[in-house]
Amino acid sequence: MKKMLAMLMASAMMLMTGCGGGSEQPAKETAAEPVELHIAAAASLTDAMKELAADYEKDHSNVKLTFNFGSSGALQQAIENGGQTDIFFSAAQKQMNALDEAGALAPDTRTNLLINEVVLIVPNDSTKNIASFNDLTRDDVEHIALGEPKGVPVGQYTEEILTNLNILDAVNSKAVYGSDVRQVLSWVETGDADCGVVYATDAAVSDKVKVTATAPADSHKPVIYPAAIIKDTKQLDAAKDFMKFVTGDAAKTVFEKYGFAIAPDVRQY
């Protein structure tokens, strides 16, 4: 009897052990590792990128997008000097070409993304009737806001336009130079400049300025925005996923909302 009781107790213990949670329970899913992507983007992309970032982070709760907005030339220099950057969105090919030639881009990640236009703007309350780029040479037009041509793409496009119109010297004598396109916009908004040259997308986000002329297409190189992942990124998979997002249909709708056109040769990631 005692032997039978002992066997029954042993069987019960084995049954309890077998039914315990132990190592046989499925492991709980762990949250994705947190990721921070550092993105350098041309100042003219500020509004569109902020909206895209909010949309992206809703569906990627483990990803934090940290932006550095500024002139493409300054951003290029920061990357060359080792500044932490995973993705670069430039407002011109020149700066991206320099990084490409220096071997700073991750292979097969560069693409043309967006197209913009260069426009002449004045404050909404302007009474000077500045209706064309040629009007910039008039004596009553005294302060003209332009992007600094060495490092600010809109300044480089502007210099090309004014050269082709044979008015560069006359305009330069009256120019005040901004460190990026948003500073140029700000000076015109406040009336500190009689007029300025910015991208169409920058003029579109302001209710304090109006466009009076668009630069002829044949007066400057096409305004194409390239994008690429930086070779030294430690978050290559996450960077590729964000690039896939910004080249997708939902992002295209956002870019178009802010006045950008989509480059016809944009690649799919």
Side-chain angles (χ1 to χ4, degrees):
M1 186 70 176
K2 290 181 179 180
K3 186 175 181 180
M4 182 177 294
L5 183 60
M7 292 176 64
L8 288 171
M9 290 178 66
S11 298
M13 290 294 292
M14 292 176 64
L15 184 60
M16 290 173 65
T17 302
C19 293
S23 60
E24 293 185 11
Q25 281 192 342
K28 293 181 180 179
E29 291 186 9
T30 57
E33 288 293 320
V35 172
E36 184 174 8
L37 282 179
H38 293 263
I39 300 171
S44 51
L45 288 168
T46 300
D47 301 278
M49 279 296 176
K50 284 183 176 179
E51 181 168 335
L52 288 172
D55 292 344
Y56 185 79
E57 288 177 343
K58 285 179 185 176
D59 296 325
H60 300 80
S61 58
N62 66 309
V63 179
K64 178 183 178 183
L65 302 175
T66 299
F67 285 91
N68 181 16
F69 295 107
S71 73
S72 298
L75 297 174
Q76 172 207 333
Q77 289 183 352
I79 293 169
E80 290 174 334
N81 292 332
Q84 188 173 5
T85 306
D86 298 297
I87 307 173
F88 179 37
F89 294 88
S90 176
Q93 300 285 13
K94 178 181 178 180
Q95 291 74 25
M96 193 67 78
N97 288 342
L99 291 175
D100 204 354
E101 291 166 7
L105 306 184
D108 301 321
T109 63
R110 178 176 177 173
T111 185
N112 292 330
L113 181 62
L114 303 168
I115 298 173
N116 212 336
E117 292 184 310
V118 179
V119 298
L120 178 64
I121 59 171
V122 299
N124 276 340
D125 59 358
S126 174
T127 60
K128 293 198 173 183
N129 193 29
I130 303 170
S132 72
F133 282 84
N134 284 317
D135 285 340
L136 302 183
T137 63
R138 289 181 359 217
D139 291 341
D140 64 324
V141 180
E142 299 172 305
H143 302 290
I144 304 169
L146 305 177
E148 192 283 311
K150 289 184 179 178
V152 183
V154 74
Q156 294 159 5
Y157 293 122
T158 302
E159 190 171 76
E160 190 177 357
I161 294 163
L162 300 178
T163 299
N164 285 328
L165 294 175
N166 295 313
I167 59 173
L168 179 62
D169 291 340
V171 172
N172 278 350
S173 64
K174 302 187 273 186
V176 289
Y177 294 102
S179 60
D180 61 45
V181 70
R182 288 302 171 92
Q183 187 170 53
V184 175
L185 176 65
S186 176
W187 284 340
V188 180
E189 287 179 326
T190 59
D192 290 330
D194 297 320
C195 58
V197 181
V198 298
Y199 297 119
T201 52
D202 295 291
V205 299
S206 175
D207 59 1
K208 298 177 182 179
V209 303
K210 55 187 176 184
V211 175
T212 61
T214 299
D218 59 357
S219 66
H220 61 88
K221 297 183 184 70
V223 183
I224 297 175
Y225 287 54
I229 297 172
I230 301 303
K231 184 178 180 180
D232 289 341
T233 180
K234 294 179 175 59
Q235 306 290 351
L236 182 60
D237 289 342
K240 285 184 176 179
D241 190 70
F242 186 68
M243 289 289 281
K244 181 178 181 181
F245 172 73
V246 298
T247 56
D249 290 339
K252 289 177 182 177
T253 300
V254 173
F255 284 128
E256 289 170 346
K257 168 185 170 182
Y258 287 97
F260 293 96
I262 307 303
D265 55 343
V266 60
R267 67 177 293 170
Q268 298 299 312
Y269 286 78

